[in-house]
Amino acid sequence: MFTIGDFARLGRVSVRMLRHYDSIGLLPPASVDPHTGYRFYRADQLRRLNRVIALKELGLTLEQVRAIVDDAVDVAELRGMLRLRRSQLAEQLAADTARLTAVEARLRMIESEGRMTTQDVVLKEIAPIRVAELTAVAPSYQGEDIGPVIQPLYPELFRRLAAAGITPTGPGIAWYEPADPGGDAVVVHAGVLVDAEPSAAPDVTVRDLPELRNAATIIHHGAMDDVEPSMQALARWIEENGYRTDGFAREVYLDYCPDTPEKGVTELQVAVYRD
C-alpha cells in the first residue's frame, strides 16, 4: 500500500485534498495505523479518485459526487455527463479553456482504463546525467497547475542555450520536488541533456542528476494531460511487486511535440525501494 504522500503524487492531487475526502467519507484510506494515525491507500483506489475528480470538474458538489460514485455510474453515463459539461464550457469565456481541457483529459483517462498493463513496466537502473535547467514553482502537482508553469520554460531554456552556444545532447527531462515541507507547491525543473560545464551558461543552471538505482519505468504515448492511465499501471506494478515510491516521477520526453502533444512519447521514471 501507499502512504498518503505517495498516493497523492501518483494521483496527481494534493495531500490536503485527500485528507478532506477522507474526512467527509468520499475516499477513506484502505487502512489507518492505529498507533500513528498514518493513512495508507491501495493502487485500485486511484480509479475512484479519478472518477471523483472528473465529476467534481463538472461543477457537481462533493455530496453529489459521492452519491454518483457510490451508485457505480458506468463509463457511458460518465462520458455523456462530461460531454454535456464540455458544451457548456465551450460557450463561456476563454478563461474556462483550461478547465475544459482538464475535463476532456479525465474523460480520455477513464475510457482508457485497463488498456495498459503492468507488463509495460520495466525496472531498471538510471545512470547519472548532466542537464541544463530552468525552474519555477507551481501551486501543486496537479496537471492544471503544472502545465502553465512548465510549458514556457522550455522555449526560454532553448533560447538561452542557443545564446550560450550550447547544443542539447539528448531529450528533455522534467522532475519535481516539494517547494516547502508540508505544502502543496512544487518546484518544477525543466531540463535537457547537455555536455557542458556548470559555468558555460551564466543564466542557466547546469547540474548533474544523480542515478536512480531502481526505477520503475513505463513509456507513455500521448499528451501529458492524459498521463493518468500510465501512472495507474506504474502504481499497480509497484504495489504488486512490493516496492514503495521515493519522490515524484521524472518525465523524459523521448519525442517532444509541443505543437501536437498527442503525438508525444514520454518515459516516466519513478524511483522505488523495498523496506
Side-chain angles (χ1 to χ4, degrees), residues 198-213:
S199 59
D203 55 352
V204 172
T205 300
V206 177
R207 58 177 291 187
D208 294 322
L209 278 185
E211 67 175 349
L212 300 179
R213 291 290 182 87

Side-chain angles (χ1 to χ4, degrees), residues 57-59 84-100 103:
E57 289 174 348
L58 279 170
L84 175 61
R85 181 58 173 166
R86 182 177 62 187
S87 297
Q88 294 171 342
L89 288 172
E91 296 173 357
Q92 296 178 8
L93 298 174
D96 286 334
T97 300
R99 189 175 185 182
L100 175 61
V103 171

Side-chain angles (χ1 to χ4, degrees), residues 175-250:
W175 67 104
Y176 311 89
E177 59 185 349
D180 57 89
D184 293 333
V186 294
V187 179
V188 178
H189 298 261
V192 66
L193 272 67
V194 295
D195 182 12
E197 295 301 316
S199 59
D203 55 352
V204 172
T205 300
V206 177
R207 58 177 291 187
D208 294 322
L209 278 185
E211 67 175 349
L212 300 179
R213 291 290 182 87
N214 289 296
T217 67
I218 194 169
I219 302 298
H220 169 69
H221 296 269
M224 289 303 293
D225 286 341
D226 302 328
V227 76
E228 281 81 4
S230 300
M231 293 299 292
Q232 287 189 35
L234 266 180
R236 290 197 304 271
W237 186 94
I238 292 167
E239 184 175 68
E240 291 170 3
N241 288 274
Y243 285 96
R244 298 188 65 180
T245 61
D246 184 14
F248 295 93
R250 291 183 183 178

Side-chain angles (χ1 to χ4, degrees), residues 111-127:
E111 290 177 329
S112 64
E113 279 181 354
R115 292 183 187 171
M116 299 196 70
T117 70
T118 55
Q119 294 179 352
D120 298 307
V121 177
V122 176
L123 182 69
K124 62 184 179 181
E125 181 177 350
I126 306 296

